[in-house]
């Protein structure tokens, strides 16, 4: 698969004047090769293979070499370029002026040759031409023989490459909307123009009845279904039925619902990515799928008033393992909230880890917890926490039962998952007969408790009339409570749903003044949350896509945006971000 993934192009610029150029060839190509090795050794594709870089066949000292490099990159599926230089260049003759891909320049900070001068001149040219370009410049002067890959340069090179690769991974793919609007949630409406203009993606639509049709007509791999059902019966632990007696059905009916839900998992996956096995069974058209890198399922209420809910399908598609063992995560949104699915997608293409789809349910203040449970909050939760309880489903990996080398809870990338991790995630999860008041058609809900003290990043893409897309980003941690306290809180809402408690990192200012302020300023009823603190990468990705970011808690020193953002204001970076994004507009329009 990795051969079809987009690559990062490395462009070594050189002073084209003969008599000078010859002394710079080795140094300039060494910079390019060092950056290529850095990227390949630190970044991976969604399948775990090293990110591919394409270094220009020659250094670039004039327009003919720039054109040859462009043609080379075109044939190598390059989705972004990263220019390196340790000398002066004839700027407008050697720059890549393709406005549809991200650009960055690293100007080697040495005094023997003016690589940093080239960076400044190139940034000026790009700004004048309206093509945003990231500038990377080391803090300390280096000697000519140094590699220049100091810690600050490495951080920015990798941040740029991660975000640029994310742009390339989304381009040309599809978002699949299964159903329409769930319970009047505006975010369910797929933002078709946004997907095309900002992400280069198409939007696909199918009615939920297609799932029922495929089940009724047997349009799925029956051998795989038998394998999946056996695995599910053995590994998915059925928990307590919390429905009152008058809302329960017979065991035979619950068994039939369970079998139906397992078929939904296979069909949901086939709808997203296709399945060549279906063609062998005579269903050639259905075998193709929708090339969907993300999808959402409406469910409530038209479906769930009549059919088993989609929780099991949503849970397993979002999880990095199933009856076939470990596998890459997919992005699959509850309630067809396309805005949240897109945010989950941003997180996923940056981190290659499964994402949590959650309700932003409740802010629990210390006083409220004390009044309801008698418990005094402490530690990270001392100022209160956010209950991210979800009436749909989220990834089983979010149970936090996977462990790093030090024994800390973690959500691993799929290729790192072990059989022990899988067993522990499953052991920490129970599946409960769906609450009939919410889901008259039955089905099963997923319940686990996310482990505490995991670093996470919560994000949400919102759309505002007259403004367009805006992104919220908040780094923080999961927290755990004593079981008796947690159970009391769970029972006040629904004990059959996933339990994740979150606290943002407070800054003492704006929306991150307090946990209450975070809740009061969050822009929607859902959030996409991923393992790790990668908020700075999200800000860089958003700048590439021209999506302004508000309500974030990322330290200024970690923010990497194009040099063109600077003329829009240096005192108020948030305002400058809004103005720059409005001025440049979406990358594909």
């Amino acid at each position: 698969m990795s051969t079809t993934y987009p690559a990062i192009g490395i462009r070594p610029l050189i002073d084209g004047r003969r008599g000078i150029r010859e002394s710079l060839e080795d140094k300039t190509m060494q910079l390019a090769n060092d950056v290529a090795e850095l990227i390949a050794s630190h970044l991976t594709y969604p399948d775990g293979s090293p990110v591919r870089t394409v270094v220009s066949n020659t250094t670039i000292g004039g327009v003919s070499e720039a054109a040859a490099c462009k043609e080379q990159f075109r044939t190598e599926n390059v989705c972004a370029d990263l220019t390196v230089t340790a000398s002066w260049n004839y700027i407008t003759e050697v720059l890549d002026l393709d406005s549809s891909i991200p650009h960055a320049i690293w100007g080697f900070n040495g005094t023997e040759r003016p690589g940093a001068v080239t960076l400044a001149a190139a940034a000026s040219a790009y700004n004048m031409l309206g093509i945003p370009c990231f500038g990377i410049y080391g803090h300390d002067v280096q000697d000519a023989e140094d590699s220049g890959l100091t810690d600050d340069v490495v951080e920015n090179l990798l941040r740029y490459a991660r975000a640029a690769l994310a742009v390339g991974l989304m381009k040309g793919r599809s978002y699949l909307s299964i159903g329409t609007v769930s319970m009047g949630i505006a975010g369910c409406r797929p933002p078709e123009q946004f997907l095309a203009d900002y992400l280069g993606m198409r939007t696909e639509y199918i009615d939920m009845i297609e799932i029922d049709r495929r089940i009724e007509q047997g349009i799925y791999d029956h051998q795989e279904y038998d394998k999946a059902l056996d695995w599910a019966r053995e590994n998915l632990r059925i928990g307590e039925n919390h429905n009152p007696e008058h809302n329960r059905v017979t065991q035979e009916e619950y068994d039939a619902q369970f079998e139906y839900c397992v078929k939904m998992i296979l069909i949901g996956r086939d709808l997203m990515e296709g399945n060549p096995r279906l063609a062998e069974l005579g269903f050639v058209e259905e075998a193709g799928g929708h090339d969907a890198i993300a999808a959402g399922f409406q469910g409530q209420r038209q479906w769930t008033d009549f059919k088993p809910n989609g929780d099991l399908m949503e849970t397993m598609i979002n999880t990095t393992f199933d009856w076939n063992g470990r596998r890459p995560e997919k992005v699959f949104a509850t309630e067809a909230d396309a805005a949240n699915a897109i945010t989950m997608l941003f997180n996923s293409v940056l981190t290659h880890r499964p994402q949590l789809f959650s309700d932003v349910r409740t802010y629990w203040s210390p006083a409220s917890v004390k009044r309801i449970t008698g418990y005094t909050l402490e530690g990270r939760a001392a100022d209160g926490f956010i209950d991210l309880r979800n009436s749909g489903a989220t990834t089983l990996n979010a149970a936090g039962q996977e462990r790093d080398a030090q024994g800390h809870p973690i959500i691993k990338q799929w290729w790192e998952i072990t059989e022990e991790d899988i067993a522990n995630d499953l052991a920490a999860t129970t599946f409960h007969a769906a609450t009939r008041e919410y889901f008259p058609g039955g089905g099963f809900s997923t319940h686990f408790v996310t482990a505490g003290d995991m670093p996470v990043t919560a994000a949400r893409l919102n759309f505002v009339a007259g403004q367009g897309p805006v992104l919220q980003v908040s780094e923080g941690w999961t927290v755990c409570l004593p079981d008796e306290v947690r159970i009391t809180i769970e029972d006040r809402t629904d004990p059959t749903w996933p339990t994740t408690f979150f606290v943002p990192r407070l800054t003492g200012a704006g929306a991150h003044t307090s946990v209450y302020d975070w809740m009061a300023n969050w822009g929607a009823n859902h959030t996409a949350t991923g393992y790790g603190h990668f908020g700075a990468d999200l800000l860089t990705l958003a700048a590439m896509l021209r999506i302004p970011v508000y309500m974030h808690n990322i330290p200024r020193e970690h923010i990497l945006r194009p040099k063109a953002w600077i003329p829009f204001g240096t005192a108020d970076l948030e305002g400058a971000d809004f103005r720059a994004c409005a001025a440049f507009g979406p990358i594909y329009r």
Side-chain angles (χ1 to χ4, degrees):
M1 286 180 62
S2 62
T3 56
T4 66
Y5 289 134
I8 304 293
I10 313 296
R11 306 178 72 251
L13 299 192
I14 200 168
D15 191 327
R17 292 172 290 188
R18 296 298 167 172
I20 297 176
R21 177 171 184 159
E22 291 83 354
S23 66
L24 297 168
E25 287 282 359
D26 290 345
K27 172 64 177 180
T28 304
M29 286 304 292
Q30 188 61 52
L31 289 178
N33 290 323
D34 286 349
V35 170
E37 183 179 348
L38 174 73
I39 291 173
S41 63
H42 284 76
L43 304 185
T44 61
Y45 288 120
D47 67 355
S49 62
V51 168
R52 185 169 55 93
T53 57
V54 180
V55 178
S56 174
N57 289 328
T58 68
T59 55
I60 302 169
V63 66
S64 62
E65 291 160 332
C69 176
K70 186 64 178 177
E71 177 60 18
Q72 178 191 355
F73 285 3
R74 184 189 65 80
T75 63
E76 292 279 2
N77 192 22
V78 166
C79 68
D81 65 38
L82 203 169
T83 293
V84 301
T85 186
S87 64
W88 174 250
N89 306 272
Y90 287 6
I91 305 301
T92 57
E93 296 182 16
V94 295
L95 294 184
D96 178 34
L97 301 180
D98 183 351
S99 61
S100 68
I101 65 171
H103 303 278
I105 298 178
W106 170 35
F108 179 82
N109 185 7
T111 55
E112 290 88 349
R113 296 288 183 180
V117 178
T118 291
L119 168 59
S124 174
Y126 271 127
N127 291 357
M128 293 173 67
L129 294 169
I131 303 174
C133 175
F134 292 80
I136 298 170
Y137 177 58
H139 186 274
D140 298 317
V141 172
Q142 303 290 296
D143 296 330
E145 64 271 15
D146 293 340
S147 74
L149 293 177
T150 54
D151 289 346
D152 56 339
V153 168
V154 167
E155 178 182 350
N156 284 328
L157 287 172
L158 293 178
R159 177 154 295 131
Y160 169 79
R162 278 192 296 268
L165 180 65
V167 172
L169 289 171
M170 292 185 288
K171 185 177 182 181
R173 302 297 303 279
S174 301
Y175 174 77
L176 174 62
S177 178
I178 306 174
T180 56
V181 176
S182 173
M183 301 181 294
I185 299 172
C188 299
R189 302 176 185 134
E192 192 166 359
Q193 198 67 53
F194 166 85
L195 285 161
D197 292 348
Y198 286 81
L199 307 184
M201 289 174 55
R202 71 174 72 240
T203 309
E204 295 281 286
Y205 303 88
I206 59 170
D207 195 282
M208 291 183 291
I209 196 64
E210 176 64 8
I211 293 177
D212 196 49
R213 180 183 82 88
R214 293 194 182 199
I215 290 176
E216 289 296 314
Q217 297 182 2
I219 307 175
Y220 53 89
D221 184 338
H222 291 252
Q223 289 183 347
E224 185 179 12
Y225 165 68
D226 291 340
K227 178 181 179 181
L229 183 61
D230 289 344
W231 181 89
R233 284 173 171 163
E234 181 178 351
N235 292 279
L236 304 187
R237 194 158 49 96
I238 302 301
E240 179 183 355
N241 189 339
H242 291 274
N243 287 288
E245 286 296 333
H246 68 274
N247 265 346
R248 298 186 182 187
V249 298
T250 65
Q251 186 58 50
E252 289 75 13
E253 290 175 283
Y254 281 126
D255 291 343
Q257 290 176 14
F258 190 80
E259 293 168 6
Y260 192 98
C261 290
V262 173
K263 293 174 184 176
M264 288 178 69
I265 304 170
L266 273 70
I267 291 168
R269 179 205 62 192
D270 291 350
L271 287 168
M272 289 185 69
E273 62 183 30
N275 186 347
R277 174 70 177 141
L278 299 183
E280 298 173 10
L281 298 173
F283 305 108
V284 178
E285 182 179 356
E286 291 86 348
H290 292 267
D291 190 35
I293 194 173
F297 176 66
Q298 175 194 339
Q300 299 183 69
R301 283 185 49 209
Q302 287 82 349
W303 178 272
T304 56
D305 280 3
F306 181 54
K307 293 287 185 179
N309 65 20
D311 283 26
L312 206 57
M313 173 175 63
E314 294 157 6
T315 296
M316 295 310 304
I317 290 180
N318 278 316
T319 297
T320 60
F321 58 83
D322 58 21
W323 49 90
N324 292 318
R326 60 187 185 179
R327 57 164 177 76
E329 75 273 8
K330 297 177 179 62
V331 170
F332 200 88
T334 297
E335 294 162 0
D337 185 345
N340 215 56
I342 294 166
T343 319
M344 293 168 69
L345 177 60
F346 290 169
N347 296 354
S348 175
V349 292
L350 283 171
T351 69
H352 308 320
R353 298 179 195 268
Q355 302 301 307
L356 288 72
F357 182 109
S358 302
D359 280 3
V360 181
R361 177 69 58 168
T362 313
Y363 162 64
W364 278 93
S365 68
S368 296
V369 173
K370 182 73 171 178
R371 181 179 66 84
I372 300 298
T373 70
Y375 178 72
T376 300
L377 292 176
E378 58 188 14
R380 293 196 191 276
D383 295 320
F385 61 88
I386 305 296
D387 186 355
L388 298 182
R389 189 171 318 284
N390 179 26
S391 59
T394 194
T395 172
L396 291 183
N397 304 90
Q401 298 303 305
E402 299 149 26
R403 293 291 188 267
D404 64 14
Q406 290 73 42
H408 301 136
I410 185 176
I411 297 178
K412 293 183 178 179
Q413 293 166 318
W414 73 270
W415 57 87
E416 297 176 331
I417 294 285
T418 67
E419 289 299 323
E420 182 180 7
D421 293 326
I422 294 173
N424 289 339
D425 284 337
L426 289 168
T429 307
T430 49
F431 297 84
H432 302 262
T435 303
R436 290 289 294 279
E437 286 86 351
Y438 289 108
F439 305 112
F444 293 84
S445 292
T446 307
H447 177 262
F448 55 76
V449 180
T450 300
D453 211 33
M454 290 199 300
V456 293
T457 301
R460 170 70 190 196
L461 180 69
N462 297 307
F463 294 89
V464 180
Q467 168 62 53
V470 288
L471 184 67
Q472 295 173 285
V473 177
S474 186
E475 294 181 343
W477 297 268
T478 60
V479 295
C480 252
L481 302 177
D483 285 348
E484 63 275 13
V485 178
R486 171 185 55 80
I487 290 169
T488 299
I489 290 173
E490 286 180 340
D491 287 345
R492 285 180 68 91
T493 306
D494 195 301
T496 70
W497 298 341
T499 296
T500 304
F501 297 144
F502 167 75
V503 294
R505 183 176 62 243
L506 301 180
T507 64
H512 286 90
T513 300
S514 69
V515 181
Y516 172 82
D517 287 310
W518 187 97
M519 179 74 179
N521 283 278
W522 200 249
N525 57 309
H526 293 145
T527 185
T529 307
Y531 177 84
H533 285 164
F534 54 91
D537 289 353
L538 277 170
L539 266 63
T540 296
L541 173 62
M544 287 182 183
L545 301 172
R546 324 289 202 261
I547 302 171
V549 179
Y550 73 108
M551 188 183 159
H552 74 78
N553 59 355
I554 308 307
R556 181 169 181 157
E557 63 269 21
H558 295 307
I559 297 175
L560 177 66
R561 288 181 171 130
K563 297 281 280 186
W565 267 232
I566 297 172
F568 289 92
T570 57
D572 173 16
L573 297 189
E574 185 175 289
D577 186 31
F578 273 76
R579 291 186 289 273
C581 288
F584 287 106
I587 189 172
Y588 299 118
R589 173 179 282 184

